[in-house]
């Protein structure tokens, strides 16, 4: 029997018999590995464990700890969902059922209208299919065989998909028990591997995302390897619902989205306090890091956007207008304006790096179905910065940017991981320029000692980037900060500096944001803190609660003192019981409430209630004031 050489991830080489499956190979290495492994990467491609090894190659085994493993398990979950629905509802036609972030869905066409109560019945059938532990087997067919099979089954949507496949593509199908589906895979070896599954919600979805097509019924679900992990995830979702920034934004009177401006947020007075504090902090920090603030126009001539490449690569997301019979565009990004400012002067190598920053209002057209509170809007402020530098300064500048990011994110208690995004399919510039830029980012990350993963094909159209994915207090991740290295815009706009040799040279450019979008960052912070902002960000830092009318004047004197000292303070002088006032203050998530009665008035003190701790005792007014000011100043 012919032996095959297989190289493992650690570089070790093993010999296997030609025709042995990847599943058997995993078993030969370790029984514990075989229990965990869900799929494998053979020569870089994720494949089923049932695939036979027929040639030399490299193998990496994929578990649920890997993103590919999660996708494989959840994609198998979508097939189990489709099988269950086909068993329960006789007229069902299948749409598509991919894995998605944190779960899966499947689209169905049926005369029956699903209601939330149906999910329990469908899930029970899914759990039965899991217990039946059907092998999930891949087989390939000709186009004619596939069309005949699905035509006889009445699966018109599958027939349409097959007809749209390229002529030379391999058509594969998967069978589990009585259920057969058109699918490229891969899948786990059997339905029994999907041990923890949960259906979550219903939605409508147009076939192939086209409003001209029929509306199908979509069922969402998720799957995990272990029930404990599923329970933890469901608890996180429950907690996330409580923290929904749209709900808290309304309850705390921070912002609103009006019918007259979908996607265009309105910030209320308390929301503006948070926004202004974020901007003040941003300005102070950027000044310390050597940036100069600029401001560029919101509307600029169409020719600028054609020159920058946005016209070709981003036009569908832009807004336009006409001025004096000429075309203009509302800016979707700040970089062309920053470039014009750089180009307005001659520059020497001695001036570089030149760091400019801008809180720039941009507008991007998003489809109405994608809008989501502050997280996805049509108008937002990017905290942009553009750094123009010598090629020799790339690594040191990127390291300084990462230092700045560390400072900001640690202030808010947000950890992060980094991803390096490479050249997308539609991009400007040669492969050589992209490789030079990508290598510079990779080397800067490695020299800084920052772990990262590669996100193939997700760079901006003008350059590779490092994305920073923040982790909030309940474990969710949010992409916020980004560092984009650009060698193309300086070329397109003929940017120069005079070098030591007296000749013109081309600078390199970095685009970077730390908040990303101030609106979105505020939404993230609302959910991260569950509306209970730290003292320095809280719209109202101290609320004074007089017990009776006798203490109202004393309360107002304290408020005047606190305001003079720089605190944001309110007095609740309503003719209400003190317990009612305290409960309202708790609902408003005020960091400190001060109860004042006759005793406090006589001793010039305050009885302190601290958010999350309750009554912490009395203290002299000046002592309390010093404590809160220190907490606000240090951003504790």
């Amino acid at each position: 029997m012919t032996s095959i050489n297989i190289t493992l991830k650690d570089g070790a080489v093993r010999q296997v018999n030609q025709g042995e499956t990847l599943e058997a190979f995993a078993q030969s290495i370790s029984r514990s590995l075989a229990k965990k492994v869900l799929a494998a990467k053979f020569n870089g491609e994720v494949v089923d464990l049932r695939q036979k090894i027929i040639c030399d190659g490299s193998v990496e085994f994929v578990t649920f700890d890997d993103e590919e493993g999660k996708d494989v398990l959840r994609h198998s979950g979508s097939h189990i969902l489709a099988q269950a629905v086909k068993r329960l509802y006789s007229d069902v036609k299948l749409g598509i059922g991919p894995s998605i972030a944190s779960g899966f869905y499947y689209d169905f066409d049926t005369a029956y209208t699903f209601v939330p109560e149906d999910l329990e019945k469908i899930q029970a059938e899914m759990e039965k299919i899991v217990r039946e532990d059907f092998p999930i087997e891949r087989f390939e067919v000709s186009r004619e065989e596939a069309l005949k099979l699905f035509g006889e089954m009445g699966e018109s949507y599958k027939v349409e998909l097959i007809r749209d496949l390229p002529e030379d593509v391999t058509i594969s199908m998967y069978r589990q028990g009585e259920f057969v589906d058109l699918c490229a895979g891969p899948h786990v070896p059997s339905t029994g591997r999907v041990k923890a599954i949960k259906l979550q919600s219903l939605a409508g979805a147009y076939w192939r995302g086209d409003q001209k097509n029929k509306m199908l019924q979509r069922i969402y679900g998720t799957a995990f390897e272990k029930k404990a992990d599923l329970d933890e995830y469901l608890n996180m979702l429950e907690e996330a619902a409580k923290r929904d920034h749209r709900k808290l934004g309304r309850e705390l009177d921070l912002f609103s989205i009006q019918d007259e401006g979908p996607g265009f947020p309105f910030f209320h007075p308390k929301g503006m306090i948070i926004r202004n504090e974020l901007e003040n902090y941003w300005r102070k920090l950027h000044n310390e890091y050597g940036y100069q603030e600029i401001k560029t126009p919101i509307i600029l001539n169409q020719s600028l956007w054609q020159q920058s490449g946005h016209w070709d690569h981003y036009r569908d997301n832009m807004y336009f207008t006409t001025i004096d019979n000429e075309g203009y565009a509302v800016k979707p990004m700040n970089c062309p304006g920053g470039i014009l400012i750089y180009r307005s002067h001659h520059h020497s190598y001695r001036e570089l790096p030149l760091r400019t920053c801008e809180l720039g209002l941009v507008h991007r057209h998003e489809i109405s179905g994608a809008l989501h509170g502050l997280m996805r809007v049509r108008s937002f402020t990017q905290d942009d910065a553009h750094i123009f530098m010598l090629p020799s300064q790339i690594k040191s500048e990127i390291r300084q940017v990462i230092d700045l990011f560390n400072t900001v994110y640690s202030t808010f208690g947000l950890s992060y991981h980094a991803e390096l995004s490479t050249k997308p399919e539609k991009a400007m510039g040669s492969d050589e320029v992209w490789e030079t830029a990508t290598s510079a980012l990779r080397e800067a990350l490695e020299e800084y000692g920052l772990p990262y993963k590669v996100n193939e094909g997700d760079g901006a159209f003008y350059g590779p980037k490092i994305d920073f994915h923040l982790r909030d207090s309940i474990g969710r991740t949010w992409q916020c900060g980004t560092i984009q290295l650009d060698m193309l815009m300086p070329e397109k706009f003929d940017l120069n500096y005079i070098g030591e040799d007296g000749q013109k040279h081309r600078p390199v450019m970095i685009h970077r944001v730390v908040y990303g979008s101030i609106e979105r960052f505020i939404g993230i912070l609302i959910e991260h803190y569950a509306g209970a902002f730290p003292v320095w960000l809280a719209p109202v830092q101290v609320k004074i609660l007089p017990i009776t009318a006798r203490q109202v004047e004393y309360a107002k004197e304290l408020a005047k003192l606190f305001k003079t000292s720089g605190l944001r303070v309110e007095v609740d002088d309503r003719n209400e019981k003190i317990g009612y006032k305290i409960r309202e203050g708790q609902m408003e998530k005020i960091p400190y409430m001060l109860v004042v009665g006759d005793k406090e008035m006589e001793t010039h003190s305050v009885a302190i209630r601290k958010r999350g701790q309750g009554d912490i005792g009395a203290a002299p007014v000046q002592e309390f004031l010093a404590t809160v000011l220190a907490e606000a100043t240090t951003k504790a």
Side-chain angles (χ1 to χ4, degrees):
M1 187 170 286
T2 306
S3 291
I4 299 290
N5 291 320
I6 296 297
T7 305
L8 296 174
K9 189 176 182 180
D10 62 2
V13 178
R14 293 217 180 197
Q15 287 195 331
V16 301
N17 292 327
Q18 189 176 43
E20 183 175 312
T21 66
L22 287 161
E23 188 173 24
F25 180 41
Q27 184 76 33
S28 71
I29 295 173
S30 161
R31 287 187 179 181
S32 60
L33 172 66
K35 288 181 179 178
K36 287 183 63 179
V37 69
L38 300 173
K41 280 186 186 176
F42 189 80
N43 291 336
E45 180 186 359
V46 183
V47 296
D48 302 314
L49 289 174
R50 293 181 181 274
Q51 179 166 307
K52 293 180 178 179
I53 304 170
I54 58 172
C55 62
D56 293 350
S58 63
V59 170
E60 290 181 36
F61 288 109
V62 174
T63 72
F64 194 75
D65 294 332
D66 306 303
E67 286 304 314
E68 296 96 337
K70 292 179 176 66
D71 286 342
V72 169
L73 186 85
R74 288 164 178 165
H75 191 187
S76 301
S78 77
H79 278 224
I80 293 171
L81 165 60
Q83 183 176 9
V85 170
K86 288 287 282 184
R87 282 183 176 185
L88 295 170
Y89 304 94
S90 58
D91 70 331
V92 166
K93 293 180 183 178
L94 301 177
I96 59 171
S99 66
I100 54 174
S102 300
F104 59 84
Y105 69 77
Y106 215 111
D107 292 339
F108 303 100
D109 183 3
T110 171
Y112 181 81
T113 301
F114 295 126
V115 294
E117 291 72 23
D118 292 319
L119 298 185
E120 191 174 329
K121 179 171 68 172
I122 297 169
Q123 176 153 336
E125 191 64 33
M126 292 173 70
E127 289 168 354
K128 180 181 174 185
I129 293 167
V130 169
R131 289 193 302 273
E132 289 171 325
D133 196 19
F134 293 118
I136 303 178
E137 299 171 306
R138 184 181 193 270
F139 60 100
E140 296 177 2
V141 294
S142 68
R143 181 181 298 268
E144 292 71 25
E145 288 172 317
L147 288 170
K148 182 174 184 293
L149 175 63
F150 285 110
E152 289 173 350
M153 293 166 63
E155 294 287 2
S156 55
Y157 297 102
K158 301 294 182 183
V159 168
E160 181 181 328
L161 290 173
I162 294 164
R163 284 180 174 152
D164 288 347
L165 289 172
E167 287 294 330
D168 59 346
V169 76
T170 299
I171 297 176
S172 61
M173 301 165 92
Y174 279 83
R175 178 185 290 112
Q176 56 197 53
E178 81 286 358
F179 179 74
V180 175
D181 202 355
L182 174 74
C183 186
H187 286 282
V188 296
S190 72
T191 60
R193 298 297 297 272
V194 189
K195 297 187 184 304
I197 201 161
K198 176 68 176 177
L199 296 186
Q200 295 172 283
S201 61
L202 298 165
Y206 291 107
W207 168 237
R208 303 185 94 164
D210 189 337
Q211 296 181 20
K212 296 176 183 176
N213 290 335
K214 186 172 183 179
M215 175 75 78
L216 307 183
Q217 298 184 70
R218 177 171 293 178
I219 298 179
Y220 285 98
T222 191
F224 285 79
E225 191 175 36
K226 300 173 185 173
K227 187 175 185 305
D229 292 336
L230 173 61
D231 291 341
E232 183 181 341
Y233 174 72
L234 295 175
N235 288 336
M236 185 274 286
L237 289 183
E238 190 176 333
E239 180 63 26
K242 296 176 189 173
R243 293 167 178 259
D244 190 318
H245 76 284
R246 295 166 298 178
K247 170 178 172 286
L248 290 172
R250 183 172 59 253
E251 292 173 356
L252 300 176
D253 197 22
L254 303 179
F255 73 92
S256 60
I257 307 291
Q258 306 287 346
D259 291 341
E260 292 80 0
F264 300 96
F266 289 70
F267 278 88
H268 299 196
K270 288 182 178 179
M272 279 304 298
I273 289 171
I274 297 170
R275 186 186 182 107
N276 288 335
E277 286 293 340
L278 290 174
E279 291 187 4
N280 292 341
Y281 172 58
W282 181 90
R283 285 193 169 96
K284 181 175 182 294
L285 194 64
H286 281 72
N287 183 55
E288 292 172 3
Y289 273 80
Y291 289 80
Q292 303 173 67
E293 188 172 1
I294 61 172
K295 193 75 174 174
T296 63
I298 292 175
I299 299 175
L300 291 166
N301 194 284
Q302 176 179 314
S303 62
L304 176 71
W305 306 105
Q306 290 169 328
Q307 185 176 0
S308 69
H310 289 89
W311 187 261
D312 293 327
H313 293 269
Y314 210 75
R315 183 169 41 186
D316 291 345
N317 292 93
M318 295 171 66
Y319 295 111
F320 303 95
T321 188
T322 301
I323 302 173
D324 297 334
N325 297 318
E326 283 194 69
Y328 282 74
V330 181
K331 67 175 178 180
M333 298 176 188
N334 298 303
C335 37
I339 287 170
L340 293 182
I341 288 180
Y342 178 89
R343 205 175 64 179
S344 66
H345 294 283
H346 295 295
H347 297 280
S348 161
Y349 72 94
R350 293 188 183 91
E351 297 172 62
L352 305 183
L354 178 64
R355 307 181 189 103
T356 60
C357 61
E358 176 177 14
L359 292 169
L361 180 64
V362 299
H363 291 74
R364 299 179 185 176
H365 180 66
E366 301 280 358
I367 59 173
S368 57
L371 300 175
H372 180 76
L374 297 178
M375 302 301 192
R376 184 65 70 90
V377 292
R378 289 170 170 159
S379 169
F380 58 94
T381 299
Q382 276 193 314
D383 64 312
D384 256 326
H386 298 101
I387 306 171
F388 303 90
M389 66 201 138
L390 311 176
S392 61
Q393 296 169 331
I394 291 174
K395 292 178 189 175
S396 61
E397 284 304 299
I398 290 172
R399 286 198 298 269
Q400 195 206 54
V401 171
I402 296 173
D403 277 336
L404 187 150
F405 283 20
N406 276 330
T407 301
V408 172
Y409 298 148
S410 63
T411 297
F412 299 102
L414 294 161
S415 60
Y416 64 83
H417 74 268
E419 294 185 5
L420 174 61
S421 297
T422 60
K423 186 179 181 182
E425 187 176 335
K426 293 182 179 179
M428 298 191 305
S430 67
D431 288 343
E432 291 77 16
V433 169
W434 272 84
E435 183 52 40
T436 300
T438 305
S439 294
L441 289 181
R442 184 182 292 111
E443 289 168 16
L445 284 166
E446 289 171 357
E447 288 180 15
Y448 193 89
L450 182 63
Y452 68 95
K453 73 175 188 177
V454 177
N455 195 0
E456 297 287 355
D458 201 38
F461 67 83
Y462 49 79
K465 60 179 180 170
I466 304 169
D467 288 325
F468 291 76
H469 295 258
L470 308 185
R471 187 177 181 87
D472 70 13
S473 58
I474 59 171
R476 297 170 301 176
T477 55
W478 310 88
Q479 195 273 306
C480 288
T482 187
I483 304 171
Q484 298 172 350
L485 187 58
D486 186 356
M487 296 180 172
L488 298 171
M489 288 288 184
E491 188 74 33
K492 291 179 87 62
F493 283 91
D494 192 27
L495 303 186
N496 297 292
Y497 67 89
I498 304 300
E500 285 186 88
D501 58 1
Q503 302 300 309
K504 286 184 177 181
H505 297 272
R506 194 75 73 204
V508 177
M509 186 177 177
I510 283 178
H511 311 247
R512 50 113 295 213
V513 292
V514 57
Y515 291 149
S517 146
I518 287 184
E519 287 76 5
R520 186 166 179 267
F521 197 74
I522 290 172
I524 291 168
L525 291 182
I526 292 171
E527 300 197 3
H528 175 57
Y529 295 126
F533 295 100
V535 169
W536 74 279
L537 277 178
V540 178
Q541 297 166 317
V542 178
K543 197 159 198 173
I544 306 172
L545 314 178
I547 294 174
T548 69
R550 289 194 304 277
Q551 296 92 34
V552 168
E553 283 306 311
Y554 175 60
K556 289 181 177 178
E557 288 173 16
L558 292 179
K560 185 177 180 181
L561 170 65
F562 293 166
K563 285 178 182 177
T564 303
S565 301
L567 290 179
R568 297 184 289 272
V569 60
E570 288 182 354
V571 175
D572 187 347
D573 58 0
R574 294 174 299 165
N575 185 24
E576 298 284 357
K577 291 182 178 180
I578 192 67
Y580 179 82
K581 293 180 181 181
I582 289 171
R583 283 192 298 276
E584 283 218 335
Q586 290 171 334
M587 294 292 290
E588 294 167 10
K589 303 181 186 291
I590 308 293
Y592 287 99
M593 287 185 281
L594 305 181
V595 178
V596 293
D598 289 338
K599 181 181 177 184
E600 286 74 27
M601 192 163 57
E602 290 166 9
T603 58
H604 199 63
S605 63
V606 288
I608 308 165
R609 292 188 65 87
K610 189 173 183 179
R611 185 181 59 206
Q613 296 182 29
D615 186 358
I616 61 171
V621 170
Q622 289 297 337
E623 181 183 311
F624 167 76
L625 181 57
T627 299
V628 179
L629 285 173
E631 196 174 333
T633 303
T634 59
K635 297 178 172 53

